[in-house]
Amino acid sequence: MTKYLLLAVIFSFNIYFETTSAKETDPIEFIDEPLEEGIILPDWFKVSFLDLEEDLNEALNDGKRGLIVYFGQKLCPYCKAHMENNWGNKDILAYTLKHFDVIAIDVRGQKQVTDFDGSEYTEKQYSVKAKTSFTPSVMFYTKEGLSLTLRGYRPPYQFQAALEYVADQHYKREAFADYLARAEAAFSYGKETLNDNAQFNRGPYILDRSHFAAKRPLL
């Protein structure tokens, strides 16, 4: 009986572990096969006639920093990852809504897009012109014009850096690659080494407790 109870406990634990692990998501690793069901755009996206100059002016008049043009397609797994991991993050969403209006262009769509110079294209034609057929792509427009283009899926910390890069007008002073390099350094700080702190700088240390009895906790 004890043996059967033990096997039942182990079996239950394995089910729990596998179920819990399956619920965990990684913003960088995900299934990249085409989706079976199309993506439904968030209802907070701005309803637009895709007149880009008009949309930008409305955003600026509302006190926002500018306009984000999102290029995607319905069955794109990377677009889904962007929606879930970036704009699905409440902090990133709140920051986006505070500083930008967002409109969507379907890279396979046939709706009319009016560019800033008045030229008219279908969504598909404009996506090719803007070199944003690789989805998702995001273009940031401010009163200075096109300030940043992101092609392809970016994990949350990179997308947040892009939002701040444009909202805080860093594009006036430096390239996004330089700005992002500092953000990545901050993101990785402490991942491979112990953080420096004066109270930890006195040695020597005996971290191996297999040969010496411990009088105080190691951590």
Side-chain angles (χ1 to χ4, degrees):
M1 179 65 70
T2 302
K3 180 175 70 173
Y4 290 124
L5 287 175
L6 180 60
L7 288 174
V9 171
I10 293 174
F11 179 71
S12 299
F13 176 79
N14 286 338
I15 292 177
Y16 172 79
F17 179 77
E18 291 174 2
T19 304
T20 303
S21 299
K23 292 180 179 179
E24 295 177 355
T25 59
D26 189 312
I28 297 177
E29 297 181 0
F30 52 88
I31 298 174
D32 60 356
E33 297 177 356
L35 304 177
E36 295 182 358
E37 297 183 5
I39 297 172
I40 299 176
L41 295 176
D43 56 11
W44 54 264
F45 269 40
K46 179 183 178 182
V47 177
S48 169
F49 292 107
L50 302 183
D51 184 324
L52 300 186
E53 183 173 14
E54 181 179 287
D55 287 330
L56 174 59
N57 288 335
E58 289 180 0
L60 295 175
N61 291 336
D62 287 341
K64 297 186 178 182
R65 186 62 66 189
L67 175 71
I68 292 177
V69 182
Y70 161 82
F71 295 81
Q73 49 186 320
K74 292 182 178 181
L75 300 181
C76 167
Y78 295 93
C79 299
K80 180 181 179 181
H82 173 80
M83 292 295 179
E84 293 180 350
N85 298 328
N86 290 323
W87 280 326
N89 180 304
K90 64 179 182 179
D91 293 329
I92 293 179
L93 175 58
Y95 192 90
T96 299
L97 294 176
K98 179 179 179 181
H99 295 288
F100 302 97
D101 280 345
V102 182
I103 65 173
I105 288 180
D106 184 343
V107 300
R108 298 178 181 272
Q110 296 299 318
K111 293 180 181 178
Q112 179 178 296
V113 179
T114 304
D115 202 355
F116 289 94
D117 62 2
S119 301
E120 296 179 353
Y121 306 86
T122 65
E123 292 173 284
K124 183 177 181 179
Q125 291 170 337
Y126 188 73
S127 300
V128 173
K129 174 181 180 292
K131 299 179 181 179
T132 55
S133 298
F134 188 73
T135 56
S137 289
V138 180
M139 299 180 76
F140 293 80
Y141 289 96
T142 64
K143 63 182 179 180
E144 287 82 18
L146 179 60
S147 298
L148 178 64
T149 299
L150 295 179
R151 294 182 177 87
Y153 171 75
R154 301 298 181 102
Y157 80 97
Q158 289 190 6
F159 188 66
Q160 179 70 45
L163 292 170
E164 294 176 356
Y165 174 80
V166 178
D168 294 337
Q169 300 182 319
H170 292 281
Y171 56 85
K172 293 182 177 180
R173 298 180 290 274
E174 61 182 329
F176 179 62
D178 296 331
Y179 181 82
L180 182 60
R182 294 204 307 277
E184 288 180 332
F187 177 77
S188 63
Y189 181 76
K191 296 287 185 180
E192 298 179 354
T193 60
L194 293 174
N195 295 336
D196 291 331
N197 188 295
Q199 65 177 321
F200 301 134
N201 288 344
R202 298 183 302 274
Y205 302 107
I206 302 177
L207 302 181
D208 183 356
R209 297 298 181 85
S210 63
H211 302 291
F212 302 93
K215 294 182 179 181
R216 300 175 59 186
L218 179 60
L219 296 177

